[in-house]
Amino acid sequence: MKFGGTSMGDAECIARSAKIVVDGSRDASIVVVVSAMSGVTNRLIASATRAQSGDPEAGPELVEALRQQHDKALTALIGNNGQRRQVQEQMEAILAEARRLYDGTALLRELSPRTLDSISSLGERLSAPVFSATLAAMGVKSESIEATRLIVTDKYHGGAEPLANLTREHCEECLRPMLKDGAVPVVTGFIGSSESGELTTLGRGGSDYSATILGAALAADEVIIWTDVDGVLTADPRQVSDARTIPEISYREAAELAFFGAKVLHPKTLNAVVAAKIPVWIRNSFSPAHPGTKITPQGRSNGGGVKALTAIADVSLISVGGPGIVGVPDVVGRTFSTTAEVRANVLLISQSSSQNDICFAVATPDAERTVTALRREFAKDLTNQKVEHITLDHDIAIVAVVGENMRGTRGMAGRTFSALGRRDVNIIAIAQGSSECNISFVVQGKDMKDALEATHSEFALGAAAAARP
Ligand code: ASP
Ligand code: MG
């Protein structure tokens, strides 16, 4: 069971989450993975940036705030003085380390990816002992463990990849005996360590991934991600009012949704369980009676083909083109080696067969830097007008229609675009991968809500989900 930041928000949330574990532990062996208390990782990183710019107070201020925040939760959760003092001691050691990391950063005005990993790991290292002590206070034997002892990764700081075999060995050595002994291990999400012992992180939001990595390592029966929504929904309920929970969805579909903006899952989460076919649940810790969504290898058909919609706002569209680019060899190659050089994540690509124009979408924060780099790369071609324009269109959204059974079902694209036409939504670009799991299209940011509502009702997503409990 993994509990995300909001499920760890304050003493009340932690107590509610712990109660779920206590109830579950009556008839199952459970390993718990926790995130930092909500907002903590962002604050750790923001203060690291301040320290890097030479501000010596950023670290100490945050350390004090974190001490108070965790202490407050601890006091509300643990009545027994002795038990509380034990956790406080653990916390003090971590906070002292935090001070040293911030002092060093402010002194050197340098923040390497490796140091940033150590700093951003502090939230989970503080929250795990609190959660574990809460379980103990509720009468369940428990121990908190830092995932640096369990999850072995490569050295890619800020987005490390797990090494499955070594991780499995460590889990067998360390977690299995605790489970046999009837204890509930509480593991820090988000972090791991390289073979040489350097702390690494799995990327922002990576605690989901920690949970499936550990689930796979222990051959768990299932992984449950406890979050603050009722599972995977047919669309963002803030955009589409009759959005509903999807009872069962395939790995593929869930991954498409995770990638394209539906923030319920870290995009890599399912990679870890694909081979072992372990089901992953998304459930709401604030409403544990709701069954949530089950993610399985095959999913379950809803009869329709389209399962869900997802959208990302705050995207920019870049286009490189003009009739002349037909004659310039390598325009495509150079365009995308340039985006790779500036580390812009390309979200969608579309090119017409006349080759007059290549357009692609990137997240808006990446856009200016990408266009500048492209203008540099194509400077010569722009002066002799082989490339006529490199343009940037801000305030764009990508909407994706997702469903595994769309493959081989005729008319999905047609229905999508007719529905948009009837709503007067102008489509700027279209992309459908050959997997046919996903039809994506680009619209103006102001049209995103209309586009979502029109397609949601065209494919009767609200009603279809309701008819199948
Ligand atoms: N605390 C980490 C983050 O905010 C990991 C997680 O919450 O999954 O990115
Ligand atoms: Mg989180």
Side-chain angles (χ1 to χ4, degrees):
M1 291 188 175
K2 176 256 174 176
F3 294 90
T6 48
S7 303
M8 301 287 292
D10 56 20
E12 197 185 325
C13 296
I14 294 175
R16 197 183 301 113
S17 299
K19 172 83 170 35
I20 292 172
V21 177
V22 172
D23 291 345
S25 69
R26 289 202 190 96
D27 41 37
S29 296
I30 298 176
V31 175
V32 171
V33 173
V34 293
S35 287
M37 292 179 78
S38 70
V40 168
T41 314
N42 285 342
R43 285 155 66 206
L44 286 163
I45 294 171
S47 297
T49 316
R50 276 176 59 197
Q52 181 189 22
S53 69
D55 179 350
E57 291 312 316
E61 271 169 34
L62 180 67
V63 167
E64 189 44 39
L66 292 178
R67 172 182 289 117
Q68 284 180 21
Q69 180 182 0
H70 288 79
D71 215 47
K72 186 171 167 213
L74 200 60
T75 310
L77 289 161
I78 318 290
N80 179 301
N81 286 340
Q83 278 178 343
R84 204 167 54 231
R85 203 160 313 120
Q86 220 178 320
V87 182
Q88 274 160 344
E89 270 165 31
Q90 246 173 307
M91 264 169 32
E92 283 311 319
I94 297 165
L95 291 170
E97 204 181 316
R99 276 292 293 262
R100 289 199 298 279
L101 285 163
Y102 279 116
D103 287 347
T105 303
L107 189 65
L108 298 170
R109 299 192 179 213
E110 183 185 75
L111 182 62
S112 69
R114 178 176 166 182
T115 306
L116 183 61
D117 268 357
S118 292
I119 289 179
S120 30
S121 76
L122 294 160
E124 273 74 8
R125 295 179 59 204
L126 289 168
S127 67
V130 176
F131 197 93
S132 175
T134 307
L135 288 177
M138 290 178 169
V140 168
K141 200 195 273 185
S142 174
E143 207 176 302
S144 74
I145 300 171
E146 302 203 344
T148 41
R149 285 174 57 197
L150 302 171
I151 298 181
V152 184
T153 71
D154 63 17
K155 288 188 174 184
Y156 192 85
H157 288 286
E161 274 301 317
L163 306 175
N165 289 337
L166 288 170
T167 301
R168 192 178 315 112
E169 281 171 25
H170 289 203
C171 288
E172 282 303 329
E173 270 166 37
C174 176
L175 295 180
R176 189 74 73 192
M178 294 171 70
L179 292 172
K180 286 212 170 109
D181 191 33
V184 175
V186 176
V187 182
T188 54
F190 184 44
I191 67 181
S193 108
S194 68
E195 277 182 89
S196 52
E198 284 168 27
L199 188 144
T200 54
T201 65
L202 306 173
R204 292 306 308 275
S207 297
D208 295 334
Y209 196 22
S210 308
T212 50
I213 292 168
L214 295 178
L218 289 164
D221 295 326
E222 54 187 30
V223 175
I224 306 178
I225 311 274
W226 291 98
T227 175
D228 56 0
V229 289
D230 291 335
V232 179
L233 303 192
T234 52
D236 183 340
R238 286 167 303 186
Q239 303 286 342
V240 180
S241 57
D242 69 334
R244 286 168 195 280
T245 299
I246 306 167
E248 189 174 332
I249 178 175
S250 72
Y251 286 162
R252 284 282 295 267
E253 291 166 334
E256 293 275 356
L257 292 173
F259 185 72
F260 257 134
K263 289 248 165 58
V264 284
L265 264 191
H266 185 275
K268 286 183 191 163
T269 309
L270 297 166
N271 296 359
V273 290
V274 167
K277 299 193 165 70
I278 300 171
V280 176
W281 290 87
I282 312 288
R283 299 187 61 183
N284 191 348
S285 75
F286 294 80
S287 162
H290 193 292
T293 298
K294 187 179 191 183
I295 308 174
T296 57
Q298 309 300 338
R300 171 151 49 100
S301 169
N302 61 356
V306 173
K307 275 280 181 62
L309 309 176
T310 164
I312 348 181
D314 211 12
V315 169
S316 294
L317 197 69
I318 296 172
S319 115
V320 176
I325 75 167
V326 186
V328 184
D330 252 10
V331 174
V332 178
R334 283 161 65 199
T335 300
F336 294 111
S337 25
T338 307
T339 59
E341 259 163 45
V342 296
R343 303 238 159 218
N345 189 9
V346 177
L347 301 165
L348 170 147
I349 303 170
S350 158
Q351 182 187 15
S352 60
S353 58
S354 70
Q355 301 178 13
N356 271 343
D357 202 277
I358 305 164
C359 79
F360 59 94
V362 297
T364 297
D366 292 345
E368 292 290 347
R369 160 167 119 252
T370 308
V371 168
T372 310
L374 284 167
R375 293 212 168 111
R376 201 182 317 122
E377 168 67 31
F378 288 106
K380 251 203 210 135
D381 310 276
L382 283 165
T383 17
N384 60 31
Q385 289 183 337
K386 287 208 160 147
V387 172
E388 278 186 350
H389 67 258
I390 296 177
T391 53
L392 172 61
D393 197 346
H394 284 301
D395 196 20
I396 291 285
I398 302 177
V399 176
V401 175
V402 172
E404 190 133 35
N405 293 325
M406 286 179 3
R407 199 177 337 192
T409 311
R410 257 165 259 240
M412 289 296 159
R415 281 175 68 189
T416 305
F417 299 126
S418 310
L420 293 171
R422 285 195 301 276
R423 261 296 176 112
D424 237 358
V425 171
N426 182 37
I427 304 166
I428 301 169
I430 302 172
Q432 176 181 331
S434 54
S435 73
E436 290 185 51
C437 263
N438 176 329
I439 302 171
S440 306
F441 50 92
V442 177
V443 297
Q444 291 292 339
K446 66 171 173 48
D447 290 338
M448 181 176 93
K449 188 174 165 67
D450 278 347
L452 284 166
E453 281 174 355
T455 34
H456 201 263
S457 86
E458 170 64 29
F459 294 107
L461 292 178
R468 278 153 220 278

